[in-house]
Amino acid sequence: IPPLSSMTLTGNHLIAGREAAPHSHTFNATNPTTSEKLDPVYGDATHAEADEALQAAEAAFDALRLATPETRAALLDAIADEITALGDALLERAHAETALPMARLTGERGRAIGQCKLFAALIREGSWAEARVDHAIPDRQPLPKPDVRRVMMPLGPVVVFGASNFPFAIGVVGTDTVCALAAGCPVVVKGHPAHPGTCEMMGRAVENALRKVGLPAGCFSLLHGKGNDIGTTLVKHPLTQAVGFTGSLRGGRALMDVAAARPTPIPVYAEMGSVNPVFVLPGALKERASKIAEAYVGSVTMGVGQFCTNPAIVLGIMGPDLQQFISSSAALATKVAPQTMLHSGICQAYGAGTAVWQTIKGLELAGQSETPPSSDATQAACRIFTTTLDVLENNEELNREVFGPCSIITECPTLDDLLRYANKLEGQLTATIHGTVEDLREYAPLVRVLEKKVGRIIFNGFPTGIEVCPSMHHGGPYPAASHSFFTSIGTASIYRFVRPVCYQGFPEEALPELLQDANPRGAMRIVDGEIKR
């Protein structure tokens, strides 16, 4: 196996260990800073190649699902090692394709490696599988009780769509792929066309790791494609058992509809973004309006605003403290230098979205980057707007996500108005409250409303910068996500790609290890109604 740090990119699809050269609908990655086309040429995978990848995944399924947890954990550790072995070459290619700063990419690579190790530890320990054991009571009256045991088992081949804004952590070896492999599901990834070279490098890391641990090459394939056709084909394929997607509402909903129309519908776990409202309460504004403004503008402009958790709408009670917050935020926005976005499509959509906003009567541009953005460098300026609640409520387009460094500060007359807006919210990934302990007491009804509307509620912080940990929930009611129960970040994301299987009356030696009385791994289980190891 050649060292990946010296790897030459080929533009090929990686299909269960076989390489397939592009031959139709070819495209290149583009450096968003210079508009330079980057070699090599990639192309759309064919229907036959999609079928080959999924047939190989199905053929490899038993080997992967029946592999010991230690073998699957060793695979994840090996993937982490192979990503590390890519060295600076991976960072340089990702920087050329996305314009993300090297420091950001270095941190995100660490997150991707950390996710591999996190899931390796999870499956080694075993409690995640939620084993439940109810022993038989043969002499129970009036009827005997049978021996019944339940555990989570993998679904089968999973199709993953890489995201544009996290080429490592939500890409070819992002959470979706890592937790699917951890669960025992083979993966077919549809790489993002904005950074295909990065996708190829990460894909080869997985291939090398599979060889190292001796698992079938069919456990992983990477297909490229710029259009929608290959993605639709993968979701329609009868061997696909589940889909992981991070992207726009339009794209996620399209995949959901395709999956639902299949003869056998399958789940699409889609994370589709939101406006992530921020409620700035009076006590917090009185204490620290300027400090909150500083953190707010920093959150809006982090990563050029290219996060699904970008705080796009802020609401506060009108008065001098809110005006100070607006003034501070506007002044800070002028000092933010325009930055290059991920690709021209996102930049154009950002420009078009904020242009529509500026035609709305009652919406004012409070502050924007002093330096004009360069269209040649695919740059976006920070833009902070202000409006009143009636304008926000009467213009639906203001309540839709515009991907980029922009946000709207909204003046509300009273607490009742805040509550009215919160009650009308569509499902959101996050909502944030800035306040004091006294504010939380006085505005407790607001928290109760948000509990029904969002997946994660933040107090005195901002939603950007998601902690990858067992407690994290990154999802929310539709349209933020396709199913509010599931998360796309953190160890609980593994539950998207498993299902419960119940065994009744089986002899001990025929049961999965986690259901055997000996419990050799010491996993936490529910045994006869008690939680124990």
Side-chain angles (χ1 to χ4, degrees):
I1 303 170
L4 289 174
S5 58
S6 62
M7 181 183 66
T8 300
L9 295 176
T10 65
N12 293 342
H13 308 290
L14 308 179
I15 306 175
R18 181 184 80 83
E19 299 199 22
H23 52 77
S24 64
H25 301 98
T26 57
F27 62 94
N28 293 76
T30 301
N31 185 318
T33 305
T34 65
S35 299
E36 170 195 6
K37 287 191 173 183
L38 303 173
D39 289 330
V41 171
Y42 291 83
D44 288 0
T46 64
H47 290 215
E49 288 164 339
D51 180 67
E52 180 185 352
L54 282 161
Q55 293 286 354
E58 178 65 20
F61 180 35
D62 277 351
L64 184 59
R65 77 182 184 90
L66 297 175
T68 65
E70 179 55 43
T71 299
R72 296 204 302 272
L75 170 63
L76 300 183
D77 285 338
I79 291 172
D81 292 341
E82 292 296 321
I83 294 172
T84 301
L86 287 164
D88 289 345
L90 175 66
L91 302 178
E92 290 161 3
R93 179 69 189 198
H95 175 66
E97 290 184 323
T98 67
L100 291 172
M102 293 293 277
R104 149 72 193 273
L105 289 168
T106 301
E108 190 188 329
R109 179 181 60 180
R111 173 175 159 182
I113 291 168
Q115 285 177 161
C116 290
K117 295 184 179 297
L118 184 67
F119 279 95
L122 180 81
I123 58 176
R124 281 189 173 105
E125 191 274 337
S127 297
W128 74 272
E130 296 186 348
R132 299 173 183 227
V133 176
D134 285 282
H135 290 100
I137 307 177
D139 57 353
R140 188 184 68 174
Q141 297 297 326
L143 294 172
K145 176 185 176 183
D147 187 279
V148 180
R149 309 185 184 209
R150 193 188 96 150
V151 72
M152 293 295 183
M153 303 287 277
L155 287 176
V158 170
V159 168
V160 169
F161 290 80
S164 65
N165 57 337
F166 281 87
F168 303 151
I170 316 180
V172 171
V173 192
T175 308
D176 292 349
T177 297
V178 170
C179 71
L181 292 173
C185 297
V187 175
V188 177
V189 176
K190 193 275 183 184
H192 199 283
H195 50 256
T198 304
C199 291
E200 182 180 342
M201 295 178 81
M202 297 289 271
R204 292 185 184 278
V206 180
E207 285 189 327
N208 279 1
L210 286 167
R211 293 189 196 104
K212 280 185 174 180
V213 299
L215 285 168
C219 293
F220 174 83
S221 293
L222 167 65
L223 302 177
H224 299 284
K226 193 166 187 179
N228 298 327
D229 183 61
I230 185 60
T232 301
T233 299
L234 289 169
V235 176
K236 283 183 176 179
H237 198 286
L239 293 178
T240 301
Q241 298 301 306
V243 176
F245 171 86
T246 298
S248 68
L249 173 59
R250 180 179 177 183
R253 182 55 198 250
L255 295 180
M256 290 168 62
D257 291 345
V258 169
R262 289 172 34 138
T264 303
I266 58 170
V268 173
Y269 297 110
E271 185 269 282
M272 299 175 287
S274 61
V275 297
N276 306 294
V278 176
F279 297 87
V280 188
L281 302 183
L285 284 174
K286 193 170 193 65
E287 277 188 1
R288 55 185 190 276
S290 296
K291 286 186 177 180
I292 298 172
E294 184 177 354
Y296 160 61
V297 174
S299 181
V300 169
T301 57
M302 180 186 292
V304 207
Q306 297 168 121
F307 293 115
C308 52
T309 53
N310 194 46
I313 294 177
V314 177
L315 303 102
I317 306 297
M318 60 176 57
D321 294 327
L322 182 61
Q323 287 303 316
Q324 182 189 342
F325 171 77
I326 292 171
S327 299
S328 297
S329 300
L332 289 164
T334 65
K335 305 302 180 186
V336 176
Q339 295 175 291
T340 299
M341 300 192 82
L342 290 161
H343 56 78
S344 60
I346 283 179
C347 190
Q348 289 165 7
Y350 174 71
T354 54
V356 169
W357 284 5
Q358 289 178 272
T359 65
I360 295 173
K361 187 176 180 180
L363 183 74
E364 304 294 333
L365 181 62
Q368 65 175 333
S369 303
E370 283 179 334
T371 307
S374 167
S375 57
D376 293 337
T378 324
Q379 287 184 342
C382 171
R383 296 190 176 107
I384 301 295
F385 296 84
T386 60
T387 193
T388 55
L389 186 58
D390 60 325
V391 174
L392 184 66
E393 289 181 319
N394 293 322
N395 290 274
E396 188 178 339
E397 56 268 47
L398 297 181
N399 293 278
R400 296 178 187 149
E401 181 183 48
V402 173
F403 207 56
C406 61
S407 186
I408 302 169
I409 304 173
T410 307
E411 298 181 70
C412 303
T414 66
L415 167 61
D416 288 341
D417 297 297
L418 282 180
L419 289 173
R420 187 179 77 248
Y421 178 79
N423 271 300
K424 291 180 180 178
L425 278 171
E426 292 185 319
Q428 303 289 324
L429 295 172
T430 76
T432 298
I433 297 173
H434 280 270
T436 62
V437 173
E438 291 75 18
D439 282 330
L440 279 184
R441 293 195 192 102
E442 184 177 352
Y443 291 80
L446 176 61
V447 180
R448 303 289 84 81
V449 171
L450 295 178
E451 288 169 345
K452 297 182 289 184
K453 298 289 185 175
V454 308
R456 178 167 57 112
I457 308 172
I458 300 104
F459 183 62
N460 286 346
F462 281 94
T464 46
I466 299 174
E467 182 66 30
V468 180
C469 63
S471 302
M472 179 51 62
H473 186 81
H474 188 59
Y478 184 87
S482 54
H483 196 308
S484 62
F485 181 84
F486 295 97
T487 179
S488 61
I489 292 177
T491 54
S493 61
I494 198 170
Y495 294 110
R496 297 172 299 168
F497 305 132
V498 295
R499 65 181 181 86
V501 176
C502 182
Y503 297 81
Q504 182 169 325
F506 269 65
E508 179 86 7
E509 64 270 16
L511 288 166
E513 183 183 76
L514 281 170
L515 294 181
Q516 295 172 8
D517 285 342
N519 190 18
R521 289 158 61 197
M524 195 71 74
R525 309 187 301 179
I526 299 178
V527 181
D528 296 328
E530 295 184 20
I531 300 173
K532 58 175 66 175
R533 289 193 185 277

